[in-house]
Amino acid sequence: MSMILQWTALLVCVACSVWRFPAMIKGRNRGLFWSFVAASMCVALSIPGIYLPVDALLGGNNFANVILRLSLFSVFFLISGKIAAAYNSATAVRLVRGPVGIVVLAICSAGIWITYFLSDLHGSSTGLVGFFDQPSVTYYMRFGFVYMAYVSACLVVPTAKAAMSQRQVLDRVAASLMSLGFLLVCLTIPVQFSPLHGSSLMKIISFSSIICVAAGLAMVWISFMRRPARGHIRT
């Protein structure tokens, strides 16, 4: 089940990257294109058949996982501001892009680096599953989820409000998918701090959230193409 979701999430992210490529060439919203590219790379690095040879090229010390975590941070930072602004949530924009959001991002990024260097990670292991017996790795994983959960918590309410608004059906479905995706990201925190943190449940929740958010953004684009004068997220 989790492997199917991983490949599905990868295909969705790659498809979205291809979709945004023409607009990127024309200089329109290049940040969204690179967000999908980074998301594609992150999902790819969660698949053993891709992660292991890539990490081997980087020295076999799981530095590829650091790239994965920090790339996810950049994806969330880039798309969160656009989504918050698109749904007219000044509070969400301030919480993500303002001083508080920057501090949370800085702490979690520093936490990733510190716990990485405190851990013995010699020998590639996808998702670091071979090192879960080390306390520093446990904290490494938690830092990796905290920032994404923080950003998602800021976006759940505005996307949920949009889903329950009087917008067009397609717009409400898109907002519903994104709201569900962000809610799933928030759920990774209680799972990460429970004995289930190393189970397949975490993968199911994580990749389901990626699929939901990416599909929601794609549906916003479809809605924009149908009604270009009234699009909500700039293409």
Side-chain angles (χ1 to χ4, degrees):
M1 176 64 175
S2 61
M3 185 58 69
I4 293 174
L5 285 173
Q6 283 176 283
W7 281 103
T8 301
L10 178 58
L11 290 174
V12 169
C13 290
V14 169
C16 288
S17 300
V18 172
W19 146 56
R20 291 304 311 171
F21 185 73
M24 188 277 294
I25 292 297
K26 296 176 182 178
R28 297 203 307 264
N29 207 341
R30 290 174 173 169
L32 189 58
F33 167 77
W34 290 112
S35 294
F36 281 128
V37 170
S40 300
M41 179 188 69
C42 293
V43 177
L45 288 176
S46 71
I47 299 173
I50 299 175
Y51 179 88
L52 296 176
V54 169
D55 192 63
L57 289 174
L58 296 175
N61 291 310
N62 292 289
F63 187 68
N65 196 276
V66 176
I67 295 175
L68 185 161
R69 299 292 170 185
L70 297 182
S71 296
L72 279 176
F73 286 1
S74 67
V75 170
F76 271 72
F77 183 80
L78 287 171
I79 69 169
S80 59
K82 295 181 181 296
I83 293 174
Y87 290 114
N88 303 312
S89 178
T91 299
V93 172
R94 184 171 63 255
L95 288 173
V96 174
R97 296 291 182 91
V100 175
I102 298 300
V103 168
V104 174
L105 174 58
I107 291 174
C108 290
S109 298
I112 288 291
W113 284 110
I114 292 170
T115 51
Y116 173 78
F117 286 115
L118 288 176
S119 304
D120 179 8
L121 299 176
H122 182 70
S124 300
S125 177
T126 310
L128 304 186
V129 294
F131 306 99
F132 282 172
D133 58 327
Q134 298 182 45
S136 57
V137 172
T138 298
Y139 284 103
Y140 172 93
M141 301 298 289
R142 290 174 179 174
F143 277 119
F145 283 102
V146 165
Y147 178 69
M148 295 184 293
Y150 170 79
V151 172
S152 296
C154 295
L155 296 175
V156 166
V157 173
T159 50
K161 285 182 176 179
M164 296 183 287
S165 68
Q166 299 301 314
R167 296 168 183 258
Q168 296 292 321
V169 173
L170 198 57
D171 292 331
R172 285 188 277 123
V173 172
S176 297
L177 284 170
M178 285 190 279
S179 185
L180 175 59
F182 292 130
L183 179 60
L184 287 172
V185 176
C186 293
L187 290 177
T188 61
I189 292 301
V191 175
Q192 183 63 41
F193 282 79
S194 77
L196 296 173
H197 69 92
S199 69
S200 59
L201 178 61
M202 180 63 80
K203 289 184 179 180
I204 291 173
I205 293 175
S206 298
F207 293 110
S208 294
S209 68
I210 292 172
I211 293 171
C212 287
V213 173
L217 288 171
M219 293 188 74
V220 169
W221 170 72
I222 294 172
S223 176
F224 180 90
M225 294 303 292
R226 290 176 61 184
R227 299 178 290 107
R230 297 175 61 188
H232 296 296
I233 295 182
R234 180 173 171 266
T235 64

